[in-house]
Amino acid sequence: MMPGIHEADLHAYADGQLAGARRAAVEAYLAQHPDAAAQVAAWRRQAEALHRALDPVLNEPVPLAALPPGLHGDQGRNRARDARRDGARPWPRWTMAVAATCASVALLAVGGTLGWLAHDRLGGGTLVLAPGERFAREALATHAVYAPEMRHPVEVAATEEAHLITWLSRRLGTALQVPDLRAQGFHLIGGRLGVAEGGPSAILMYEADDGTRLSLQLRRMAQGTPDTGFRVERMTGEGARRPTPGRDPMMAFYWIDRDLGFALAGPLERARLLTLAQVVYQQYQGG
């Protein structure tokens, strides 16, 4: 994509969320890139099809049968009385099935990731993970949750970088910095506050021109935690995305340096992700 136009902009345009100069810039880009324009049109057709299929269900009143009796109240009693008087048919069972199916899909979307994260904690209880490895797994799960977000992948945008790093440094109780990965093809889009092993963590999100995203997660380790070299943790099983041909599954390189834990996660080839991790390490060492 041309500089300044990213996949997030195309999704926002397809959803009708852009206005003014930004909308005009995306429209100019689409006029010059028919493949991207076709993709946006396909997204809109999908959205319209979903609206046609599900809006009638969403606009129906909640069935009393789906609510606990204590929530029926006078309105519920009146609705039931009116239904008997008017000979109305009961609320269709298939709409309740659709609602249950939608909830199941949402649960499955995160269930694989959470199951992978908890596997070694609950699947027998015999494997004890080192602190760095636990942190890396949590960083991978965090990346799997936030990286696909188009509108809200971060809490504070890169345009407020000074505020972002001041805020995260204060919350973690240590001076942080934002590694510059532009020479490696990734620009900062922002960051957010996270949670790792019950404590605060800093999450910085980066994006390439093709829409690929990386997240760098940092947290204070327990005082005296031994430093480590670069180690790799892969997301496997149902929590991993289907790998792109020529790429490994989503993975994270992690290391501990002076009581600060680092985990760089993303869907890149091992060698390239390691190179990026080394750049982060060198910048934190002052060059």
Side-chain angles (χ1 to χ4, degrees):
M1 293 185 185
M2 64 183 291
I5 301 295
H6 307 289
E7 186 176 355
D9 297 306
L10 301 185
H11 280 281
Y13 178 79
D15 292 340
Q17 299 298 314
L18 295 184
R22 196 59 180 167
R23 180 182 179 88
V26 172
E27 288 176 341
Y29 173 83
L30 294 176
Q32 299 174 12
H33 297 81
D35 290 345
Q39 180 63 72
V40 169
W43 289 337
R44 284 180 165 172
R45 288 194 298 271
Q46 291 171 356
E48 291 168 358
L50 287 172
H51 278 296
R52 287 194 300 270
L54 297 179
D55 280 358
V57 178
L58 295 175
N59 292 329
E60 291 188 16
V62 177
L64 293 176
L67 296 175
L71 297 180
H72 289 184
D74 292 338
Q75 180 181 4
R77 287 189 290 271
N78 292 339
R79 191 187 299 175
R81 182 193 62 221
D82 293 342
R84 289 193 300 270
R85 181 191 63 202
D86 298 336
R89 297 177 61 188
W91 202 70
R93 290 180 178 272
W94 70 268
T95 51
M96 296 181 68
V98 168
T101 300
C102 292
S104 299
V105 170
L107 289 172
L108 286 172
V110 297
T113 296
L114 295 178
W116 164 80
L117 182 62
H119 177 268
D120 290 325
R121 300 182 184 181
L122 303 178
T126 58
L127 180 59
V128 178
L129 301 179
E133 188 174 356
R134 290 198 302 270
F135 172 50
R137 291 195 171 198
E138 291 183 346
L140 278 167
T142 297
H143 184 82
V145 170
Y146 290 122
E149 284 287 335
M150 289 295 104
R151 298 185 189 176
H152 307 292
V154 297
E155 290 179 282
V156 180
T159 53
E160 299 181 83
E161 181 178 325
H163 163 65
L164 170 66
I165 203 62
T166 299
W167 171 51
L168 293 177
S169 296
R170 184 175 65 250
R171 292 304 306 270
L172 267 66
T174 189
L176 302 177
Q177 64 187 69
V178 177
D180 185 353
L181 302 180
R182 288 176 295 180
Q184 289 72 38
F186 286 88
H187 63 273
L188 180 74
I189 61 175
R192 64 169 59 242
L193 184 68
V195 177
E197 297 192 79
S201 67
I203 304 169
L204 302 176
M205 190 78 70
Y206 295 82
E207 186 176 71
D209 286 343
D210 65 358
T212 301
R213 287 179 174 174
L214 299 177
S215 63
L216 174 64
Q217 189 160 339
L218 307 97
R219 72 173 293 259
R220 290 284 298 276
M221 308 299 290
Q223 187 173 4
T225 301
D227 291 355
T228 70
F230 295 110
R231 298 176 179 175
V232 66
E233 178 70 22
R234 291 180 175 84
M235 179 175 280
T236 58
E238 295 181 0
R241 291 183 177 182
R242 184 181 299 276
T244 302
R247 291 186 179 180
D248 290 324
M250 189 168 70
M251 66 180 69
F253 271 98
Y254 66 97
W255 65 99
I256 299 172
D257 182 35
R258 291 171 291 184
D259 294 338
L260 190 62
F262 299 77
L264 184 66
L268 293 182
E269 297 88 346
R270 177 189 175 110
R272 188 180 181 197
L273 190 61
L274 175 58
T275 297
L276 288 160
Q278 291 169 336
V279 170
V280 172
Y281 174 79
Q282 290 165 2
Q283 291 188 19
Y284 259 84
Q285 297 300 311

